[in-house]
Amino acid sequence: MKFAKIVFWIAGIWGILILTPLYFMFDLIGRQDPPAITHPGFYYGFVSVGLAWQIAFLVIARDPVRFRTMMIPAILEKFGYGASFLVLYLQQRIHPSDLVLGGVDVLLGIFFLLAFFRTSA
């Protein structure tokens, strides 16, 4: 259970630190990596949903046994994001350096999977 607590605390804090600045970087992203974002609703929606998941990770970290079943969608969220990055890279729609972000999520997904199996039902 201690492993799950640590993994989900780290994931939640990491995600909050990475996602929160995105609220203030909308125009900067378009300038640094054109073209500009044309659907701000999707952009801010992604950031909001992402932050909600980070809070869910912190809730799981507080009581991994109680919230063990919530680890399943958390695992899917991490692997889904990583898989999306891989597909986009294979389609040459993102830079190779962008794979680092997807890789971090895959690594966290592996840790979430381990936490799920190491936490008793």
Side-chain angles (χ1 to χ4, degrees), residues 32-106:
Q32 288 187 343
D33 193 14
I37 300 168
T38 59
H39 293 80
F42 288 146
Y43 176 83
Y44 289 114
F46 163 79
V47 175
S48 296
V49 170
L51 278 173
W53 269 107
Q54 307 322 301
I55 302 305
F57 299 157
L58 297 178
V59 169
I60 293 168
R62 295 212 37 174
D63 193 348
V65 173
R66 179 177 175 200
F67 296 109
R68 184 173 184 262
T69 55
M70 281 302 297
M71 292 182 194
I72 296 168
I75 292 164
L76 294 173
E77 182 267 336
K78 290 299 177 193
F79 286 133
Y81 189 69
S84 298
F85 266 57
L86 180 60
V87 169
L88 290 170
Y89 172 73
L90 293 173
Q91 293 174 344
Q92 299 178 347
R93 294 174 62 191
I94 62 171
H95 302 287
S97 61
D98 293 335
L99 285 175
V100 172
L101 292 174
V104 169
D105 272 44
V106 170

Side-chain angles (χ1 to χ4, degrees), residues 8-20 54 58 78 101 104-105 108:
F8 280 93
W9 274 114
I10 289 171
I13 292 168
W14 165 260
I16 289 169
L17 292 174
I18 294 299
L19 290 171
T20 302
Q54 307 322 301
L58 297 178
K78 290 299 177 193
L101 292 174
V104 169
D105 272 44
L108 286 170

